[in-house]
Amino acid sequence: MFYNFLKYIIGFFLRIIYPYEVINMPTIEDKAYVLIANHKSNLDPLILSILFPRKIRWMAKKELFETPFIKHVMKGVDAISVDRDNGDAKSTLQAIRVIKGGEVLGIFPEGTRVKRIDYKAAKPGTVLLAARTGTDIIPVYIEGDYKPFRKRRYIFREIIPFEKQKLTEEEYSRKMEKIMEIIYEGRQSIGDHS
C-alpha cells in the first residue's frame, strides 16, 4: 500500500519536477530478476521504482535506517538493510528469499553514489546472488543529473541470463566488471547527452 502511494502519488509530482525518458524497457515476465544500475543520487531507487512496471525490493545501506523518517519509508517499501562495511549474511539471506519468492531485487553494485567510472569498484555480491539462484539480471544506465525540469534518461540494456552455478571469487568479480561495462555502454548505445 505504502509502496503504491510512493509510486503513483509522490511519483506524479516527481515526474513533473524531474522528468525522464525510458529507453529500451524489456519485456518483464512474472518471475524473479535482479535489477542493477549505476548510482548517481539518493533519488535513483525512488525514480526507478516509479518507472518500473513491477515492485522492486531495494537493498539499502543500513545508515538509511538510522533516521526515523527515512527508516519509516525504507520499511514501508520493504527495503533490505545492508551493512556495507562487514559481511552481512542476514541481508544476503533476505535477498535470496526475495528472489526465491519471484520478486524483483534492486541493487546498486557500486555501493555508493559515484562521479567517476570505475568498473572494479562494483561489489561482486550481485553476481553471486544471480549465479547461486539462477536469476537473470536487468542492467540499467542512469544518464544525467537530477536538476529540476531537466530530463534524464534511464537506458535499459539487454537482460543478462544466469544459470544456477557456483563460481570462484575471481570469476564473480570478473563477471561483475563486465556487467558494469555493459551498463555504462548504455551511454554510447544511443548517444550520451549527459
Side-chain angles (χ1 to χ4, degrees), residues 59-71:
M59 299 193 79
K61 60 184 180 181
K62 69 173 187 177
E63 289 80 6
L64 291 174
F65 292 78
E66 294 171 359
T67 305
F69 175 72
I70 302 298
K71 179 180 179 179

Side-chain angles (χ1 to χ4, degrees), residues 25 34 44-45 52 60 84 90 96 115 121 134 162 175 185:
M25 173 69 78
V34 178
D44 291 339
F52 198 69
R84 297 180 299 174
K90 182 180 177 183
I96 290 173
K115 298 292 184 183
F162 264 85
K175 283 183 178 291
E185 282 171 3

